Amino acid sequence: MRRLIGVGVGPGDPELITVKAIRVLRAADQIFVPVLARPGEEDSAEEGRAEATVRVHAGPARIRRIAFALNDPGGVTPGRAAAWDAAARVVAGAFAAGARTVAFATIGDPAIYSTFSYLAQTVAGLAGDVMIETVPGITALQDLAARSGTVLTEGTESLVLLPLTAGADALAEALARHDTVVGYKLGSAAGPGTDAVLGLLGAAGRLEDAVFGARLGLPGEDIRPASDLAGGPPVPYLSTLITVGARAGRGSRLRGAGRSAGAGSDAGAGHGGGAGGGSGQGVSGGRG
């Protein structure tokens, strides 16, 4: 059976990749990595995070770039659809040439906002008898939480992850309905913009403890309070935002905690290790 495996290679730090992911990459007949380019322009494209991580752990001879229009706004644009189709033809060609196992490396996790899902659907339609598999990976939200000292959830708290390209209304609803809100793609041109996002956080009373992160684990790593972004230059496309709802103290978000004699006795102890009050987070600025 021929296999196409989407391999999560983590958020960018080459050490944040699983043992299984490394094993699969080293065993694959061919490894494809996405680059931000149009079909035919792969060789001139800037090296992406997935490619950089793969090159640390696998030999270069089996690595091949394929183009994706990753930052095209407006849904399924002609450029985006053409890139999906071209990428699928390249992968199907690898199978036709005799490959039995093909790996596609994706940052984060292949089940979360990954180009792999589009590639897999298209390859399945072209190649037929190909088994689709995935290897989970560490996500940017986990990495930013660790590096900033943020406790993402406690007790009965809810967590929602959304791309900020979903728009201002989607973010406002998430802030109103959920305890922890994580936003991806803060720097996307298709989103509401950084200042608009900060305004929504402020209106919801969630700006003070919101944390921003970009280029995690890489040169130029940027972790700071989200409020520091106000009026500043554009942020990278792959930027992450986390805001955690207020906590009254240790165990305050456990079911029935308000009836417990010990609830709230350690006011402010709910934060995750940095300075940030009782919200559950504090920006450390280091590598966690």
Side-chain angles (χ1 to χ4, degrees), residues 242-253:
I242 299 176
T243 178
V244 177
R247 295 172 184 141
R250 185 178 65 183
S252 64
R253 303 311 298 269

Side-chain angles (χ1 to χ4, degrees), residues 101-166:
T101 300
V102 171
F104 178 83
T106 178
I107 58 171
D109 185 285
I112 301 176
Y113 302 131
S114 170
T115 51
F116 178 70
S117 60
Y118 310 121
L119 177 68
Q121 293 173 53
T122 313
V123 169
L126 290 176
D129 61 338
V130 173
M131 179 179 293
I132 308 297
E133 302 176 17
T134 58
V135 176
I138 295 170
T139 63
L141 74 92
Q142 294 167 291
D143 196 12
L144 178 56
R147 294 176 190 274
S148 63
T150 300
V151 177
L152 289 169
T153 55
E154 289 186 353
T156 59
E157 292 174 343
S158 62
L159 181 151
V160 63
L161 168 65
L162 75 162
L164 294 172
T165 52

Side-chain angles (χ1 to χ4, degrees), residues 27-205:
D29 300 309
Q30 184 85 63
I31 304 168
F32 289 101
V33 294
V35 292
L36 178 58
R38 299 292 182 184
E41 301 175 351
E42 295 89 349
D43 290 344
S44 60
E46 181 180 353
E47 182 181 71
R49 298 185 191 184
E51 180 180 358
T53 299
V54 170
R55 289 190 180 278
V56 173
H57 299 287
R62 293 175 295 114
I63 301 172
R64 182 174 175 183
R65 293 176 159 192
I66 47 178
F68 285 88
L70 299 173
N71 61 352
D72 265 18
V76 185
T77 63
R80 178 169 284 162
W84 290 346
D85 292 340
R89 287 193 295 270
V90 171
V91 173
F95 285 121
R100 303 301 298 173
T101 300
V102 171
F104 178 83
T106 178
I107 58 171
D109 185 285
I112 301 176
Y113 302 131
S114 170
T115 51
F116 178 70
S117 60
Y118 310 121
L119 177 68
Q121 293 173 53
T122 313
V123 169
L126 290 176
D129 61 338
V130 173
M131 179 179 293
I132 308 297
E133 302 176 17
T134 58
V135 176
I138 295 170
T139 63
L141 74 92
Q142 294 167 291
D143 196 12
L144 178 56
R147 294 176 190 274
S148 63
T150 300
V151 177
L152 289 169
T153 55
E154 289 186 353
T156 59
E157 292 174 343
S158 62
L159 181 151
V160 63
L161 168 65
L162 75 162
L164 294 172
T165 52
D169 290 344
L171 176 58
E173 181 180 359
L175 291 169
R177 294 173 60 90
H178 295 279
D179 299 297
T180 299
V181 177
V182 180
Y184 276 0
K185 305 178 184 179
L186 177 60
S188 173
T194 301
D195 287 340
V197 168
L198 297 182
L200 289 168
L201 290 170

Side-chain angles (χ1 to χ4, degrees), residues 144 186 210-214 222-226 229 235-236 239-242:
L144 178 56
L186 177 60
V211 62
F212 162 85
D222 186 2
I223 300 174
R224 51 179 152 153
L229 301 174
V235 300
S239 298
T240 300
L241 185 76
I242 299 176

